[in-house]
């Protein structure tokens, strides 16, 4: 069974997600932005979701995480789910 670990930021709008992504691309710290802006309880851990198995997350999120190579550290998203818009940084997949 494939596993992954990732950080994410969950916000209400695509425009908010895009604005945060632009800040990250300019050097802002992903975890700091997660703590400040994310709607997910994981924001207390800087957006850290820990390790999870393929199929454990909602489908669009799962597909985004497991479609990336484990060496690609770029920010994925915005990814729309029923919860809102996610920015995702995959730490590893195996």
């Amino acid at each position: 069974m494939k596993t992954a670990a990732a950080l994410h930021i969950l916000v209400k709008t695509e425009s908010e997600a895009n604005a945060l992504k632009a800040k990250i691309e300019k050097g802002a710290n992903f975890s700091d932005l997660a703590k400040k802006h994310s709607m997910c309880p994981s924001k207390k851990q800087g957006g850290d979701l820990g390790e999870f198995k393929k199929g454990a997350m909602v489908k669009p999120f799962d597909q985004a995480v497991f479609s990336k190579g484990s060496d690609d550290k770029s920010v994925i998203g915005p990814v729309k789910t029923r919860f809102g818009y996610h920015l995702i940084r995959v730490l590893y997949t195996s």
Side-chain angles (χ1 to χ4, degrees), residues 18-60:
N18 283 323
L20 291 171
K21 186 173 184 177
K23 287 181 180 183
I24 293 164
E25 289 170 350
K26 290 179 182 172
N29 183 281
F30 191 100
S31 293
D32 290 344
L33 290 176
K35 287 176 184 176
K36 187 173 182 181
H37 298 281
S38 186
M39 301 184 309
C40 180
S42 69
K43 74 181 187 176
K44 292 177 185 172
Q45 293 82 38
D48 191 346
L49 296 169
E51 186 174 275
F52 51 91
K53 294 184 185 318
K54 186 172 185 176
M57 301 294 182
V58 291
K59 192 170 184 175

Side-chain angles (χ1 to χ4, degrees), residues 73-85:
K73 300 301 179 202
S74 61
V75 174
I76 304 167
V79 175
K80 185 178 183 193
T81 70
R82 67 178 184 258
F83 301 107
Y85 292 85

Side-chain angles (χ1 to χ4, degrees), residues 59-92:
K59 192 170 184 175
F61 189 99
D62 201 63
Q63 288 175 331
V65 168
F66 288 99
S67 68
K68 284 288 189 185
S70 60
D71 59 339
D72 185 349
K73 300 301 179 202
S74 61
V75 174
I76 304 167
V79 175
K80 185 178 183 193
T81 70
R82 67 178 184 258
F83 301 107
Y85 292 85
H86 304 259
L87 296 177
I88 307 165
R89 175 164 283 154
V90 177
L91 302 176
Y92 66 83

